[in-house]
Amino acid sequence: MRTFRTRRRTRTPRIAGERRMLVAMAVDATGSGMYVPFSLVFFHHVTGLAFATVGLVLTVVGLLGLGALPLAGAAVDRYGAQRVQLLLYGVRGTGFLLYPFAHSLPAFAAVALATAFGDRAFPAVQQSLIGEVAQGADRDRLQASSRALRNGGLGAGSLLASLVVGLAGDAGFTAAAWLNAASFALAALLMRGVRAERQVPTADAAKPSAGYRQVFADRPFLGLTAANFLNALGYSALSVLFPLYLTTWLRGPQAITGTAFTLNTVMCAAGGVVIAARVRARGARRTRSAALGSLLFAAAFAAQILLGTFRPGSGIVLGGALMVIVALYTLGELVHSPSAGALSVAAAPEALRGRYLAAYQLSWSLSAAVAPSLFTALMTVDGRLPWALLVGTSLTAAVVVVRLERVLPAGAVRVAPAVPVTAVRAASPVPVVAAR
């Protein structure tokens, strides 16, 4: 008599409430995509102010918005990431509701400043929330999923905004602003269904009373933050340097820029989770996989120097070469981003995670502020010079991260098996316990 054995498929256990979190991330990104790709044009049409005025206000409030990071970090450590995230959703949503009424300069500046505070603080708070609801390999998986959803949502949002504006004309920009506000409200409602109970720190753990003194005394984490600043300059290259380099140094058609962005977005949305899963399956240390991503960045930037030296006259050859380089760059992004993000979360002490990740987020914000002027200044000397700088920063970041292995917490460097956090409950009445 034959006996039949059924094989059970092993599935990665999901965190309770994970589905709601991912849907909220997608909704948030789709709303943001309705204004991020063309922010100057968007705010000009919504407020009626001149382009120069809008640009100046956005630059000033963007820098002032960095002040929200330390405040948000302290609030996360005191009240928990989810409560702060819901507050930021309210601030950002209210801002986009009010933008169509902000026709004067003071009104626009006030609304833009409040919204900038919410936008600048939000990534650090979301990273903290991932740290609260997930452990081990689940953190890497959620990092990859959030990155993929971010890219896919931005692309979908920009297409939706183009459709709305195409059908409604200038009034479509106002509709896009209110749809974005609605997306924040919906994301907040979804996140209310996820409850995160924070672990009470042990007696020898870092104390919230230490504040940012503890963060600035943690030299390994500051080294990790400095390495991320170097990598973050590379992340700015596609949006800031690439279009300028293409049109001025390579003398290529501007249409290639759109194709490059599309390729990057599609690869990130479609391949982010898959690539991150492959990296985890091979048991790579987070430091090593982050360093590998930096090396892939360096290779892509070096290829830009090579292309800029020969400058092929054929548009087909130029376009094909640029697409290969963008694909290599995107592969570096897919390898680096989940590991580097999870590494920063895992390296932060539980009781001070909000402050630690707020300091880490400064590396992203500072690079975004520095990159435009730095790249354009180097471009005036030689079009290949910015890429040479980025080769150096990427290689330096790879070396720094690997050398930090010896001093970073072992649990942050090596990916632990995925273990669902039992304290996370979807639609659970369990209250958030603040660390004291």
Side-chain angles (χ1 to χ4, degrees):
M1 186 175 181
R2 278 185 191 177
T3 58
F4 295 92
R5 295 181 180 178
T6 58
R7 293 183 180 179
R8 292 183 179 178
R9 295 182 180 178
T10 58
R11 298 180 61 184
T12 303
R14 283 189 174 274
I15 301 167
E18 177 180 346
R19 195 181 301 276
R20 298 177 70 95
M21 287 182 62
L22 296 178
V23 174
M25 291 177 185
V27 171
D28 179 353
T30 302
S32 298
M34 299 188 73
Y35 79 95
V36 168
F38 40 91
S39 55
L40 282 176
V41 176
F42 177 89
F43 289 116
H44 164 71
H45 282 280
V46 169
T47 63
L49 296 172
F51 281 112
T53 302
V54 171
L56 178 61
V57 170
L58 291 180
T59 299
V60 172
V61 301
L63 293 173
L64 293 175
L66 295 179
L69 279 169
L71 298 176
V76 166
D77 293 333
R78 182 174 180 84
Y79 301 108
Q82 191 207 28
R83 290 182 177 180
V84 180
Q85 186 189 57
L86 293 176
L87 173 63
L88 294 181
Y89 271 135
V91 171
R92 297 162 79 201
T94 302
F96 278 88
L97 275 177
L98 295 178
Y99 269 129
F101 305 104
H103 299 297
S104 68
L105 178 59
F108 174 59
V111 175
L113 181 60
T115 309
F117 266 64
D119 286 340
R120 289 292 184 272
F122 190 83
V125 175
Q126 182 161 285
Q127 290 284 84
S128 298
L129 183 62
I130 290 176
E132 289 184 11
V133 304
Q135 292 180 347
D138 280 332
R139 285 177 178 166
D140 301 70
R141 182 167 54 81
L142 282 180
Q143 291 283 350
S145 298
S146 65
R147 184 87 185 170
L149 289 170
R150 177 73 179 170
N151 281 275
L154 288 175
S158 63
L159 289 176
L160 179 59
S162 299
L163 178 62
V164 171
V165 172
L167 293 174
D170 288 350
F173 288 99
T174 298
W178 288 341
L179 284 173
N180 189 26
S183 75
F184 291 140
L186 178 56
L189 287 174
L190 290 167
M191 288 306 302
R192 281 180 61 85
V194 178
R195 295 286 183 255
E197 183 178 339
R198 301 171 63 210
Q199 298 176 1
V200 177
T202 58
D204 58 345
K207 302 297 183 184
S209 58
Y212 282 99
R213 290 174 299 169
Q214 172 71 24
V215 180
F216 294 125
D218 192 333
R219 296 179 65 183
F221 191 85
L222 292 182
L224 197 64
T225 303
N228 189 68
F229 171 78
L230 298 177
N231 277 316
L233 288 173
Y235 276 87
S236 299
L238 188 62
S239 59
V240 178
L241 177 57
F242 182 85
L244 183 63
Y245 178 72
L246 171 65
T247 54
T248 60
W249 186 260
L250 295 178
R251 297 187 178 91
Q254 184 62 46
I256 294 179
T257 300
T259 306
F261 275 101
T262 301
L263 176 62
N264 174 261
T265 300
V266 170
M267 285 186 64
C268 286
V273 177
V274 175
I275 296 296
R278 290 287 181 90
V279 172
R280 292 197 309 272
R282 294 181 179 276
R285 301 174 188 177
R286 288 185 176 121
T287 46
R288 300 295 174 91
S289 54
L292 175 59
S294 297
L295 293 178
L296 291 171
F297 281 149
F301 301 146
Q304 290 283 23
I305 297 174
L306 187 64
L307 186 64
T309 300
F310 290 98
R311 287 196 271 194
S314 170
I316 296 177
V317 173
L318 177 63
L322 285 172
M323 291 307 104
V324 172
I325 293 173
V326 170
L328 178 61
Y329 166 87
T330 306
L331 180 61
E333 182 179 343
L334 295 176
V335 173
H336 175 269
S337 180
S339 297
L343 179 62
S344 66
V345 173
E350 175 76 23
L352 292 173
R353 183 180 290 132
R355 290 176 172 88
Y356 267 72
L357 295 183
Y360 188 81
Q361 182 62 30
L362 276 174
S363 63
W364 288 105
S365 299
L366 288 176
S367 71
V370 168
S373 58
L374 177 62
F375 292 158
T376 51
L378 293 174
M379 279 286 295
T380 59
V381 179
D382 190 298
R384 295 163 294 184
L385 199 53
W387 300 111
L389 172 70
L390 291 175
V391 170
T393 56
S394 298
L395 293 177
T396 302
V399 172
V400 169
V401 169
V402 171
R403 288 180 64 87
L404 286 172
E405 280 184 355
R406 298 172 298 170
V407 290
L408 287 170
V413 172
R414 296 185 180 275
V415 182
V419 179
V421 179
T422 57
V424 181
R425 311 200 181 276
S428 166
V430 178
V432 176
V433 180
R436 299 187 180 183

